[in-house]
Amino acid sequence: MLHLCLILSAVCAIGTTKPLPDTFSYSVGVGGGGGTEFSTAHEGLITGLRIWEYPGNYITGIQMKYDGNWTDLIGSGYGNQQEMVIYDKEFISQISGKHSNYIYELIFVTNTGRYFKVGSPVGNSFNFYPTVKGSQLRFLSGRNDGWAITSIGAHWAIVK
């Protein structure tokens, strides 16, 4: 009988617990989508970005820095490289840009209002932002065809 009471108590306790708050969100990918999948997911906070663009055209490469360590280069890295340093207590809070069969433009905006713009304003507009207040960019995912970035999506989370 004691065993049955313990089981019923446990079931009631499980049924009355509050759900955990949703601390993650995803901005659905945009772009043509051909090629191989990629993800820049890594441990730590984002402390830098490197973006390559084919001059006057599309984004050819992406590399992210997490706590001082650069991820592998995504794409070809052909063309002009630009870099942004993310300072202490600063994080990426929004990404906008242009896309078509490739990603043509990326604009990263931080919580301090700084922005980093790379590429050409060609194609359809997109705007990525977290749905959970206080979230920051954790990583990017998408596809690349070995030459350029063909699609991109953003993953957001609250970092404590």
Side-chain angles (χ1 to χ4, degrees):
M1 183 70 172
L2 178 61
H3 182 65
L4 180 61
C5 288
L6 289 174
I7 291 173
L8 287 175
S9 296
V11 168
C12 289
I14 291 171
T16 60
T17 59
K18 293 182 181 178
L20 293 173
D22 187 14
T23 59
F24 300 94
S25 62
Y26 171 65
S27 297
V28 177
V30 297
T36 306
E37 294 179 350
F38 74 84
S39 170
T40 64
H42 200 23
E43 291 185 30
L45 297 175
I46 297 171
T47 56
L49 300 166
R50 285 182 185 150
I51 309 292
W52 285 262
E53 75 166 303
Y54 184 76
N57 216 318
Y58 41 78
I59 304 299
T60 62
I62 296 174
Q63 198 173 26
M64 299 180 76
K65 190 176 190 181
Y66 288 86
D67 289 340
N69 299 307
W70 288 103
T71 62
D72 292 337
L73 171 64
I74 306 297
S76 68
Y78 178 80
N80 300 328
Q81 174 195 319
Q82 296 186 44
E83 187 171 321
M84 178 184 198
V85 173
I86 308 296
Y87 300 118
D88 289 340
K89 298 184 181 11
E90 184 178 39
F91 57 85
I92 297 167
S93 58
Q94 180 181 348
I95 305 169
S96 300
K98 297 280 190 171
H99 72 93
S100 183
N101 54 332
Y102 289 108
I103 304 303
Y104 283 87
E105 179 182 55
L106 290 171
I107 305 166
F108 295 87
V109 181
T110 73
N111 61 314
T112 64
R114 285 194 321 131
Y115 69 93
F116 176 49
K117 180 179 179 282
V118 182
S120 299
V122 174
N124 302 308
S125 297
F126 68 89
N127 189 24
F128 295 159
Y129 53 89
T131 58
V132 179
K133 185 177 171 130
S135 294
Q136 60 185 276
L137 181 67
R138 292 297 300 129
F139 65 95
L140 299 171
S141 64
R143 298 179 88 77
N144 80 92
D145 64 6
W147 175 251
I149 307 303
T150 60
S151 69
I152 195 166
H155 302 257
W156 312 90
I158 294 176
V159 177
K160 298 187 181 203

